[in-house]
Amino acid sequence: MPGLQLRYETQAVMEQRSVGASGLRVSRLGLGTLTWGRDTDGDEAAAQIAAFVDAGGTLVDTSPAYGDGAAQRILAELLDDVVPRTELVLSSSSGINPAGPSRIDCSRRGLVAQLDATLRELGTDYLDMWQVATWDPFTPVDEVAATLDFAVSSGRVRYVGARGYLGWQLATAAGASRGTTLVATQVEYSLLARGVEEELVPAAAHHGVGMFAAVPLARGVLTGKYRNGIPVDSRGADEAHAQDVQSYLTDSSVRVVDAVVTAADGLGTSPLAVALAWARDRPGVASAVVGARDIAQLTGVLVAEELELPAAIAAALDDVSA
């Protein structure tokens, strides 16, 4: 919002972590902008980013695919007007273009064109983190690697990574490095989505790649809100997003959610806090990226950030969700 000023004082209380083997450091919670421009308007977004920075948060994740570009447009209005650009670690991606002739395009032409459009949209000269949005079977991995190197050497980005890669894809991309190494991979990772532990997690560790754990609350299922049905005001009741939630509402998830709720009761905290702390503190995770529809949801996340799970409870959750 042009001219909007929100007072805040940065209290660097949130732990900052290194991303993989790189020198980049980010807050162990990241602010996702998936809902911005869709469920979250500009004023709510301004309140969110101000509260996030006030809590010591630095990593803000966006994408030209979020809200068909609306998320980036809203974020652009907040940079420097609400929070200083220099206080943030801005992360975005290229490679998925819903409006293009081919939805996936990780060619040099496609990636650079989308990166330049993102920089113009955000009104910034560079991204702190730029990620290839998906694996493209039609673009040689050497071409993608050369494009990442070009983006860094031209000053457009500082660090590079990938989103949604499988273990073998990450290893292949890391091996094709042209001098600019992948330092991050962003994947869905939660108590209800642990499949990445089989191949991706060890591949990331071997290549010095840090992980951004996306969707750590499993679309809200791990907060316990769906234990007794689907609330009418939830995403599960929204036809556009119901399938995303339904994929987590399985028989096996019931045991996990019950265990999370039990642990929260014993610790005197919320199921959200327990589930988030578990994902945030998994080996190799540099940051857990969480989106919120409004400032009330984000406040719950920021309060939960203070929780450190006792080892016994973390182990019990490991067992029930394995």
Side-chain angles (χ1 to χ4, degrees):
M1 301 10 306
L4 177 62
Q5 299 290 332
L6 296 184
R7 293 186 60 191
Y8 68 96
E9 295 178 359
T10 302
Q11 304 167 8
V13 296
M14 196 181 298
E15 179 184 325
Q16 305 292 307
R17 292 176 174 171
S18 296
V19 181
S22 75
L24 178 64
R25 293 179 64 80
V26 299
S27 52
R28 67 177 184 175
L29 279 189
L31 178 63
T33 62
L34 176 64
T35 66
W36 289 16
R38 188 184 70 189
D39 304 317
T40 306
D41 64 22
D43 289 339
E44 278 286 352
Q48 285 186 21
I49 201 168
F52 178 68
V53 171
D54 183 50
T58 59
L59 176 64
V60 176
D61 175 70
T62 192
S63 166
Y66 294 170
D68 292 330
Q72 287 192 163
R73 289 192 291 273
I74 289 176
L75 179 57
E77 294 182 348
L78 307 182
L79 296 181
D80 289 327
D81 277 347
V82 176
V83 296
R85 163 67 180 91
T86 54
E87 294 287 326
L88 303 178
V89 177
L90 280 183
S91 174
S92 190
S93 65
S94 300
I96 295 179
N97 182 10
S102 176
R103 184 172 183 272
I104 295 175
D105 182 4
C106 296
S107 67
R108 181 185 178 103
R109 177 177 181 271
L111 288 176
V112 173
Q114 200 171 46
L115 170 61
D116 286 346
T118 289
L119 294 176
R120 288 194 301 272
E121 189 76 67
L122 292 177
T124 185
D125 295 331
Y126 67 96
L127 292 176
D128 299 284
M129 170 62 66
W130 183 47
Q131 297 174 306
V132 179
T134 187
W135 180 265
D136 181 357
F138 300 105
T139 300
V141 66
D142 285 345
E143 181 176 333
V144 175
T147 304
L148 295 178
D149 191 53
F150 166 76
V152 173
S153 63
S154 65
R156 289 169 167 85
V157 302
R158 300 294 186 258
Y159 296 89
V160 296
R163 300 192 183 193
Y165 274 25
L166 301 176
W168 71 266
Q169 294 168 344
L170 182 68
T172 301
S177 169
R178 296 295 187 86
T180 297
T181 58
L182 295 176
V183 304
T185 182
Q186 187 161 322
V187 291
E188 288 199 21
Y189 193 17
S190 73
L191 280 161
L192 295 181
R194 296 184 61 184
V196 295
E197 292 176 351
E198 185 173 351
E199 292 185 359
L200 180 70
V201 171
H206 178 77
H207 290 283
V209 176
M211 291 189 297
F212 294 159
V215 201
L217 300 176
R219 313 288 180 189
V221 173
L222 286 167
T223 67
K225 68 165 66 176
Y226 296 101
R227 293 179 82 201
N228 299 310
I230 299 178
V232 294
D233 61 345
S234 69
R235 290 183 190 176
D238 182 348
E239 185 176 343
H241 310 296
Q243 185 54 47
D244 293 336
V245 174
Q246 287 291 339
S247 64
Y248 285 106
L249 296 178
T250 64
D251 291 340
S252 59
S253 72
V254 173
R255 295 192 309 275
V256 178
V257 174
D258 285 347
V260 170
V261 171
T262 299
D265 289 343
L267 293 171
T269 188
S270 66
L272 180 154
V274 171
L276 183 58
W278 183 90
R280 181 199 66 203
D281 295 336
R282 296 299 290 172
V285 171
S287 186
V289 180
V290 187
R293 281 184 293 177
D294 52 41
I295 188 61
Q297 286 188 348
L298 182 64
T299 299
V301 168
L302 294 177
V303 170
E305 202 280 334
E306 301 171 2
L307 176 67
E308 304 292 337
L309 282 183
I313 289 181
L317 292 173
D318 290 352
D319 289 342
V320 76
S321 64

